[in-house]
Amino acid sequence: MINKDINKHIIDALKEDDYKNDLTTKLISKNLNVSASIISKESFYIYGLHWMKAIFKNVDKNLKVELKVRNGEYVKNKKIIARISGKSHSILTAERTVLNYLQTMSGTYDNCIKFRKKIGSKKDIKILHTRKTIPLMRLPLSEACVAAGCPPHRYSLSDGILLKENHLKIINNLEELLIKSKKSNNKIIIEAKSLSFARKVSKLNIDRILLDNFTPKQIKDFVKDNIKQKVEVSGSINLNNIKKYAVNGVNFISIGLLTKNIISKDISLLID
C-alpha cells in the first residue's frame, strides 16, 4: 500500500536525481518502446516491490510493471524479479531510483531475517531496530524491518521516553521525574550501564530497562533476580554473538546495525 508519506519520499528521491532533466536519455528518441527485466545477481530475501512499482508509475503512469515475485520471497541468483514495458525514456530515467530503494530495502529485510533465524528457538525474544538510520531514509528502512518482524525500539523521539546515560547525568531527582513522566501515559525506558544501577532501576515503576553493553554473564546475573521489569539488551550485538545475548529472561534485543550497516543487494535492470 502506497500512502502519502511513501509517495512524498519517492518524489523527493526522484527530484534529488533531477529526473526531469536526464541529459543522456534526452538524446534518445521519445517514441521508442522497450521491455526490460529487473534481475537478481545474488540470492536474498526481497522487499520493496511496491515502492519500485510506485517509482515507475510516478515517472510515467503508462509504464507496465509485472511483478514475478512477492515481498518477503527468497529469490535466487539470476531470478527475474519484474518485467517493465513502455517508453525507454521513462524506464531509463527511473532506473537508478528504483534500484536504490529495492537494493537497500532488500538488504535491510534480508539482514533482519538472518538475525531472527539466529535466535529462531527463542520465540519470546523480539529483535528491535533503532533510530540509527541513514538521514531521511528511516521510512523505507523501518518499513523493511517491521515487515521482517523487527519492530522499532522507538521510531522517533516522540515515540516514548528513553532516559539514557546523558539524561541521567543531569537529572537531580529520578523518582520525581518518573512520577511526572507517568502522567503522559508514554512508555518509559531507562538505560543502565552497570549491574548495580540496573538492580536499582528494576525496583522503579517503569516499562522496560535497557542493559547497554552488558556482557552475557552480567545479563544472566541480572535477569535471574529480576521479576518485575521487561528487559532489553543492546550494544555491539551482531550475527556472530547474538545467541549469547538471547538469554532466558530477556524480552528484547535492539540492534543498530540493522539500519546503520546496510549491505545492499545486487540487482540490475536490463533492457531486452
Side-chain angles (χ1 to χ4, degrees), residues 65-99:
V65 181
E66 182 186 359
L67 299 180
K68 298 294 187 180
V69 297
R70 294 176 295 178
N71 276 327
E73 186 174 332
Y74 185 75
V75 298
K76 293 185 177 181
N77 186 23
K78 298 181 181 179
K79 172 73 175 178
I80 294 177
I81 294 166
R83 291 282 295 164
I84 322 299
S85 59
K87 298 293 184 185
S88 61
H89 271 220
S90 302
I91 294 173
L92 291 169
T93 296
E95 176 184 2
R96 186 68 267 156
T97 304
V98 161
L99 293 177

Side-chain angles (χ1 to χ4, degrees), residues 46-70:
I46 193 164
Y47 191 80
L49 297 168
H50 52 309
W51 287 65
M52 175 198 76
K53 190 171 183 178
I55 295 163
F56 280 123
K57 292 296 185 179
N58 264 283
V59 172
D60 182 349
K61 65 182 180 180
N62 293 316
L63 285 177
K64 293 182 179 179
V65 181
E66 182 186 359
L67 299 180
K68 298 294 187 180
V69 297
R70 294 176 295 178

Side-chain angles (χ1 to χ4, degrees), residues 181-199:
S181 300
K182 277 292 181 182
K183 293 178 181 178
S184 68
N185 292 319
N186 289 306
K187 68 181 177 186
I188 301 172
I189 304 170
I190 296 182
E191 178 188 76
K193 292 285 189 179
S194 69
L195 193 54
S196 59
F197 183 67
R199 286 171 173 154

Side-chain angles (χ1 to χ4, degrees), residues 4-141:
K4 63 180 182 179
D5 291 330
I6 294 175
N7 207 54
K8 182 182 182 303
H9 205 281
I10 287 169
I11 291 170
D12 287 344
L14 287 168
K15 287 179 178 178
E16 179 185 50
D17 212 26
D18 202 2
Y19 76 113
K20 291 185 177 180
N21 191 33
D22 184 346
L23 297 179
T24 309
T25 301
K26 284 181 178 180
L27 299 173
I28 301 168
S29 171
K30 286 185 177 181
N31 299 318
L32 183 62
N33 286 309
V34 299
S35 294
S37 296
I38 294 179
I39 304 169
S40 61
K41 298 178 74 175
E42 60 179 306
S43 300
F44 57 91
Y45 287 94
I46 193 164
Y47 191 80
L49 297 168
H50 52 309
W51 287 65
M52 175 198 76
K53 190 171 183 178
I55 295 163
F56 280 123
K57 292 296 185 179
N58 264 283
V59 172
D60 182 349
K61 65 182 180 180
N62 293 316
L63 285 177
K64 293 182 179 179
V65 181
E66 182 186 359
L67 299 180
K68 298 294 187 180
V69 297
R70 294 176 295 178
N71 276 327
E73 186 174 332
Y74 185 75
V75 298
K76 293 185 177 181
N77 186 23
K78 298 181 181 179
K79 172 73 175 178
I80 294 177
I81 294 166
R83 291 282 295 164
I84 322 299
S85 59
K87 298 293 184 185
S88 61
H89 271 220
S90 302
I91 294 173
L92 291 169
T93 296
E95 176 184 2
R96 186 68 267 156
T97 304
V98 161
L99 293 177
N100 284 348
Y101 276 105
L102 195 57
Q103 290 173 323
T104 304
M105 294 179 77
S106 293
T108 303
Y109 184 95
D110 185 79
N111 209 21
C112 288
I113 297 297
K114 287 176 181 175
F115 272 94
R116 289 189 62 209
K117 284 185 174 182
K118 278 285 186 178
I119 61 162
S121 61
K122 301 282 186 175
K123 302 296 184 183
D124 52 337
I125 299 178
K126 190 169 286 294
I127 294 175
L128 308 177
H129 72 275
T130 73
R131 289 168 39 246
K132 294 178 181 178
T133 53
I134 300 168
L136 302 180
M137 281 295 287
R138 187 170 300 168
L139 183 65
L141 297 183

Side-chain angles (χ1 to χ4, degrees), residues 172-184:
N172 293 321
N173 189 323
L174 179 58
E175 291 190 13
E176 186 178 293
L177 184 141
L178 289 177
I179 292 171
K180 180 181 177 181
S181 300
K182 277 292 181 182
K183 293 178 181 178
S184 68

